[in-house]
Amino acid sequence: MTKNNIIIIGCGAGGGTAAQFARKTDRKASITIFEQTSFPQYSKCGLPYTISGDIPEIMDLIEFSKEWFEKARIDLHLNTTVDHIDSEKNILYVSNENNTKQEYEFETIILATGASPFIPPIKNIQKNGVFPNGVFSLRTINDAQNISKQVKKGKHALVIGAGFIGLEIAECLHKMGMNVTIIEAMQTILPQLLDSDLSNQIQKHLEQYITIKLHHFVKDIQVTNNQVTHVYVEHAETHEKLTLPADLIILATGTRPNIRLAKELKCTIGSSGGIVVNNKSETSQKNVYAVGDCTEFIDFITKKPVPIGLGSIAVRQAIAAGVNAAGGQYELQNGVLQTCTSEFFGLEIASVGPSISQLEELKPIVGKHTGSSRPEYFPGGKSITCKTYIDSSTGSILGARAIGTNAAQRINTYATALLANMNIETFRTLRTAYAPPIAPTLDTVTIAADIAATKWQRKRSG
Ligand SMILES: Cc1cc2nc3c(=O)[nH]c(=O)nc-3n(C[C@H](O)[C@H](O)[C@H](O)COP(=O)(O)OP(=O)(O)OC[C@H]3O[C@@H](n4cnc5c(N)ncnc54)[C@H](O)[C@@H]3O)c2cc1C
């Protein structure tokens, strides 16, 4: 039996980063990672773009190779699954691809087991736990490779789910010449992120390229000779039925945290289904840390638990876990600031703050402005829309959304203000840079903030 200081389960963004920061903190610690797949730490975020060919070589997604871990004296076991943990004896039971079983004693554990795709209850979607040909979720390098093999110009692709990942995949499949339809159960696209006016704006843009069916459920899949051919779809209210051709189906219906081992360790599981962690990435159990998509953490604004589903957050939690597990001191802010971005068919979208339903519960004052990336007189300006949400009694910023040129950078400005607990009165006076070919004197960020601040002042003065 091998004795280890730190054992990490999972070598995704969370596990790999935790190992690196544990090593930086303690040059001598014994650090071991178990990873059930054959790949060391790679970017899942890049997977859709390997399907479109934007990233020509899928193995370029690997950010830290096996050799890199070896050099850092981190003992990485690929193709090795942690099957079971005995929390009384502090023993971990693993098996590798040859079904060789081994036991490891541990002092400190970092759970970085990620999440698994959620499979919606659709008739014929699986037989004995296996998808028919043509049905996929997208979570791993193998998934992306298998999808790529089925992509055929002129054929029909159906993406279930209009969240960030669904829309990214839809664009990539369209780029490869497929006829793409998105089916979304809710009434708008990006339903967790945007309110209906921003969703509608993006939807109009997307419908130039793909078909979108909102408020529809996929009920059944037609499979012939183990190959999907059609889907049966129903309207959520009218129950009107549709049959759509589908040579390829991608499930982009969210994930569920992998918490089996956390339960064996008796870690507290929270209301959203993830492992409860604090701002040091500690779980409820001593010497057990958890990071990334297997966890939940409180939202920076609402202080309510939110499931973690972003690589950017997993990495920050992992820095805390790695440093603390190795005896250092590292604390995250008190809660997770949900900052995210993507781009669909050339339209950039970014968001900071709670989900739209959580924001709306706070009954915020909203300032919205659509402007241009350049002064009106300078040709070539591009449209940019910003929406600022502020607390109606205190005027503190709760969140923001941006659509258009440099949306992510604009949202990063809001993120800075949020972390600094900045009031809208200060934020509206932001001194943004101005030069005609680059930016107008008053940026859309500032104007949207000014509109919110004015509404707030009017409310205060009755
Ligand atoms: C298509 C796609 C696009 C995305 N785009 C973005 C984006 O643009 N921006 C963003 O911030 N986030 C994005 N994400 C989310 C981001 O990839 C995840 O938040 C991030 O990968 C989470 O890291 P993690 O380490 O928690 O989990 P994972 O990366 O899932 O790693 C968990 C690892 O644990 C291993 N494991 C699990 N159980 C065991 C076990 N018992 N034994 C051994 N190994 C085990 C798994 O094999 C896996 O490798 C995207 C995700 C996907 C799928």
Side-chain angles (χ1 to χ4, degrees), residues 8-16 34-37 39 42-49 77 80-83 112-116 138-140 164-165 168-169 255 258 260-261 291-295 308-315 317 339-342:
I8 300 170
I9 309 177
C11 193
F34 296 108
E35 167 54 51
Q36 66 193 4
T37 71
F39 303 108
Y42 66 91
S43 169
K44 291 186 161 45
C45 314
L47 288 171
Y49 308 102
H77 298 251
T80 307
T81 303
V82 177
D83 297 316
T113 46
S116 301
L138 177 59
R139 181 83 196 170
T140 64
F164 262 169
I165 293 177
E168 285 175 4
I169 298 168
T255 56
N258 294 326
R260 183 178 58 80
L261 296 173
V291 302
D293 288 8
C294 59
T295 69
I308 302 304
L310 287 172
S312 52
I313 298 172
V315 163
Q317 286 181 310
T339 316
C340 58
T341 185
S342 196

Side-chain angles (χ1 to χ4, degrees), residues 33 35-40 66 76-80 96-97:
I33 314 181
E35 167 54 51
Q36 66 193 4
T37 71
S38 52
F39 303 108
K66 179 125 177 65
L76 170 60
H77 298 251
L78 295 176
N79 299 306
T80 307
N96 66 16
E97 77 265 44

Side-chain angles (χ1 to χ4, degrees), residues 118-377:
F118 171 67
I119 314 297
I122 298 171
K123 205 172 156 197
N124 295 323
I125 198 152
Q126 281 185 328
K127 202 171 174 187
N128 303 323
V130 180
F131 292 137
N133 284 338
V135 179
F136 301 93
S137 50
L138 177 59
R139 181 83 196 170
T140 64
I141 283 186
N142 289 340
D143 292 337
Q145 286 173 322
N146 290 332
I147 292 170
S148 289
K149 285 182 202 150
Q150 299 260 338
V151 170
K152 286 199 183 71
K153 203 173 171 182
K155 295 277 184 183
H156 296 276
L158 193 111
V159 178
I160 308 179
F164 262 169
I165 293 177
L167 298 186
E168 285 175 4
I169 298 168
E171 178 180 2
C172 292
L173 295 174
H174 169 86
K175 214 168 174 180
M176 296 306 287
M178 296 197 78
N179 299 308
V180 182
T181 301
I182 295 190
I183 307 286
E184 166 57 52
M186 305 300 279
Q187 279 165 310
T188 55
I189 61 164
L190 297 170
Q192 292 182 11
L193 203 73
L194 302 179
D195 42 22
S196 53
D197 63 335
L198 294 186
S199 288
N200 294 343
Q201 185 182 334
I202 299 164
Q203 187 183 336
K204 272 194 196 125
H205 176 72
L206 300 185
E207 281 174 338
Q208 297 174 76
Y209 310 95
I210 57 176
T211 305
I212 300 175
K213 296 225 165 285
L214 298 173
H215 218 27
H216 278 80
F217 285 96
V218 177
K219 289 291 203 186
D220 193 352
I221 293 178
Q222 170 76 48
V223 180
T224 309
N225 298 330
N226 197 35
Q227 168 67 43
V228 58
T229 58
H230 290 83
V231 290
Y232 302 107
V233 176
E234 197 174 295
H235 191 274
E237 263 169 39
T238 62
H239 301 290
E240 193 187 327
K241 292 179 176 44
L242 285 174
T243 305
L244 301 174
D247 305 289
L248 176 64
I249 297 177
I250 310 285
L251 303 176
T253 40
T255 56
R256 294 293 179 267
N258 294 326
I259 53 169
R260 183 178 58 80
L261 296 173
K263 282 184 173 170
E264 291 189 358
L265 285 164
K266 303 184 178 65
C267 295
T268 302
I269 305 301
S271 54
S272 82
I275 307 163
V276 174
V277 288
N278 62 17
N279 50 2
K280 293 179 178 170
S281 295
E282 294 166 330
T283 68
S284 59
Q285 296 298 317
K286 197 164 182 285
N287 296 331
V288 180
Y289 297 81
V291 302
D293 288 8
C294 59
T295 69
E296 67 173 44
F297 191 25
I298 54 166
D299 181 83
F300 185 73
I301 300 293
T302 64
K303 306 298 178 207
K304 289 183 181 164
V306 283
I308 302 304
L310 287 172
S312 52
I313 298 172
V315 163
R316 283 159 181 85
Q317 286 181 310
I319 294 172
V323 171
N324 293 328
Q329 290 289 331
Y330 196 104
E331 280 190 40
L332 299 166
Q333 286 91 8
N334 205 9
V336 39
L337 191 57
Q338 302 182 65
T339 316
C340 58
T341 185
S342 196
E343 192 201 48
F344 315 116
F345 297 98
L347 186 63
E348 200 177 314
I349 293 154
S351 163
V352 65
S355 68
I356 196 65
S357 58
Q358 288 194 330
L359 266 179
E360 281 169 352
E361 268 174 35
L362 301 172
K363 304 202 177 344
I365 288 175
V366 183
K368 180 184 171 191
H369 180 69
T370 298
S372 174
S373 60
R374 286 174 169 171
E376 289 301 321
Y377 60 80

Side-chain angles (χ1 to χ4, degrees), residues 372-378 430-443:
S372 174
S373 60
R374 286 174 169 171
E376 289 301 321
Y377 60 80
F378 200 103
L430 189 73
R431 275 71 153 177
T432 51
Y434 159 59
I438 310 287
T441 16
L442 290 175
D443 193 90

